[in-house]
Amino acid sequence: MVTPERITLARKRRSLTVAELARRLDVSAQSVTNYERGRQQPSTGTLRRLALVLGFPEAFFMAPPGEEVPETAVAFRARSKLSLGKRASAVSAGVLAVEFNTWLEETFRLPEPDLPTLDHPDPETAAEMTRARWGLGNEPIPNVIHLLEAHGVRVFSLATEHSEVDAFSFWQASTPFVFLNTGKTPERSRFDAAHELGHLVMHAGARESRGPEAEQQANAFAGAFLMPESSVRARMPQAPLIDQILEGKQIWRVSALALTYRLHELDMLSDWQYRSACVELSRLGYRKGEPEGIPGETSQLLTKVFAALRENGKSVHDVAAELRLGSHDLSGMMFGLVVAAVSTRHQPQPSPPGRPRLTVV
């Protein structure tokens, strides 16, 4: 029996309208609507075409409905610039990631969520409280993704077709999720991760669409979280020169423009000095990229998950089959991690009793 909601989920994941899917299936739009509302079951031939057109195994459409992730609960960067179809596709990717996370939690003991949730805090204070709770002091953060995973945030990558989506986050029940665009520079991806952490900490109870004020708050949180005031003042001179800014960005592993903005925010650059620095950095290519940038960050948790699975003879293809997904959809969540295929000659090791505990440091 085909589950109607799974057809809708798959269609939205591929950014197709009802009319577009109907045209590709060579059926009427009314038929697709009937399939999605449970009024009519697709024939065996139509199910086969659904799987082919939408790029999901036929078994995907037989699975129970996925957990709903309301779009209003999702904090999108630049929501107004995204079409409804792009937002729906990204949210659908989130639904699949929630299902993947459920499988992970059933298989492994993952870090428990440990985030403060604060009502209407000042972003600077919220960042300081989060750092204090996690025992970070004022030191630069070596790896933001590892840090979030260690404190129970489930971090996934966005597939390449979501290039227009910067990042987004949401709480699903008591579990926080963050999705990052891997097409950006590592420095800007770190800032996106901290920005989404700001939404999770400061806007956990907000179910309405986040507006410009919430985005500004999350940006301010990210700047303070990555570049604490006391740390910046201790390491940077007043009115630093461009060369000093470029040296400083390596300390906090942020973009040159993000550090420049933070220096201006802390009154360490005047308005004129800030504008002049931005013009010079743009001339040097720092508006479009980060020359001599840092290495990209990736998931430590997922690396450990698939290393453990590989030891027991299970490949990414096996996991995708259990999730009733294509391998490309699963790989799209995993920061481009290449998981070695398991040889058929390999003798799987017996799994230990219970769920293995995974730690992220």
Side-chain angles (χ1 to χ4, degrees):
M1 179 77 71
V2 171
T3 305
E5 293 86 348
R6 302 300 277 190
I7 300 176
T8 305
L9 176 61
R11 174 177 61 77
K12 289 183 175 181
R13 177 65 185 83
R14 302 303 182 222
S15 300
L16 295 176
T17 65
V18 168
E20 288 169 338
L21 178 56
R23 188 161 52 250
R24 297 190 186 191
L25 294 176
D26 196 24
V27 300
S28 69
Q30 185 61 53
S31 292
V32 172
T33 299
N34 288 339
Y35 300 152
E36 293 190 358
R37 294 183 179 177
R39 297 170 182 163
Q40 178 182 350
Q41 280 282 306
S43 67
T44 302
T46 300
L47 175 59
R48 191 176 302 115
R49 291 198 300 277
L50 270 171
L52 183 63
V53 166
L54 295 174
F56 285 92
E58 289 184 30
F60 174 86
F61 299 97
M62 309 292 189
E67 291 188 49
E68 183 181 2
V69 176
E71 187 186 312
T72 53
V74 176
F76 278 112
R77 298 287 302 272
R79 174 186 290 267
S80 62
K81 296 180 181 179
L82 291 174
S83 67
L84 290 174
K86 291 292 184 182
R87 293 205 299 266
S89 179
V91 171
S92 298
V95 172
L96 298 181
V98 169
E99 294 185 359
F100 180 29
N101 181 68
T102 298
W103 183 91
L104 289 171
E105 291 182 347
E106 291 171 350
T107 310
F108 298 93
R109 295 178 62 188
L110 305 183
E112 293 290 332
D114 176 30
L115 276 67
T117 52
L118 309 171
D119 292 328
H120 308 296
D122 169 73
E124 195 91 20
T125 302
E128 291 173 0
M129 292 177 68
T130 304
R131 273 184 161 267
R133 177 165 177 154
W134 291 355
L136 300 177
N138 291 312
E139 292 303 306
I141 297 171
N143 191 303
V144 178
I145 292 179
H146 292 181
L147 177 66
L148 296 186
E149 290 181 329
H151 292 278
V153 181
R154 308 298 188 243
V155 186
F156 298 98
S157 61
L158 289 166
T160 53
E161 62 265 30
H162 292 124
S163 59
E164 297 175 29
V165 182
D166 283 339
F168 67 92
S169 58
F170 57 82
W171 285 88
Q172 183 72 0
S174 59
T175 301
F177 288 80
V178 165
F179 295 81
L180 300 174
N181 185 326
T182 58
K184 305 177 76 172
T185 66
E187 291 87 349
R188 294 176 188 183
S189 184
R190 279 169 56 88
F191 194 91
D192 283 349
H195 176 108
E196 298 309 325
L197 174 63
H199 278 307
L200 294 171
V201 169
M202 296 186 296
H203 308 133
R207 290 304 178 203
E208 69 282 359
S209 298
R210 275 80 172 195
E213 182 180 359
E215 290 303 307
Q216 291 171 5
Q217 291 172 347
N219 274 335
F221 175 98
F225 185 75
L226 293 174
M227 299 167 278
E229 179 176 355
S230 59
S231 178
V232 174
R233 293 193 185 280
R235 290 175 166 89
M236 296 294 291
Q238 189 72 20
L241 302 174
I242 291 296
D243 286 349
Q244 292 170 314
I245 291 174
L246 295 181
E247 290 176 5
K249 86 181 206 68
Q250 300 295 336
I251 297 172
W252 294 282
R253 300 169 68 81
V254 295
S255 72
L257 287 170
L259 176 55
T260 302
Y261 184 90
R262 182 64 169 153
L263 290 165
H264 181 237
E265 188 176 49
L266 297 175
D267 294 323
M268 296 176 71
L269 287 174
S270 69
D271 291 347
W272 179 85
Q273 290 166 336
Y274 171 67
R275 288 194 297 271
S276 298
C278 288
V279 169
E280 180 62 12
L281 289 170
S282 180
R283 186 186 70 78
L284 294 172
Y286 284 91
R287 187 166 294 280
K288 294 184 178 180
E290 294 297 319
E292 300 181 5
I294 62 174
E297 297 183 356
T298 189
S299 169
Q300 187 181 79
L301 187 145
L302 293 174
T303 299
K304 290 187 173 185
V305 160
F306 281 94
L309 292 171
R310 188 166 59 247
E311 289 180 0
N312 286 282
K314 184 170 287 190
S315 72
V316 65
H317 305 290
D318 299 323
V319 176
E322 288 189 30
L323 293 168
R324 310 189 207 198
L325 293 176
S327 296
H328 62 284
D329 278 307
L330 182 57
S331 297
M333 306 178 198
M334 294 169 29
F335 295 91
L337 293 173
V338 178
V339 184
V342 179
S343 167
T344 55
R345 295 187 298 272
H346 174 73
Q347 184 64 38
Q349 298 298 314
S351 299
R355 293 175 298 160
R357 179 188 293 275
L358 288 182
T359 57
V360 182
V361 295

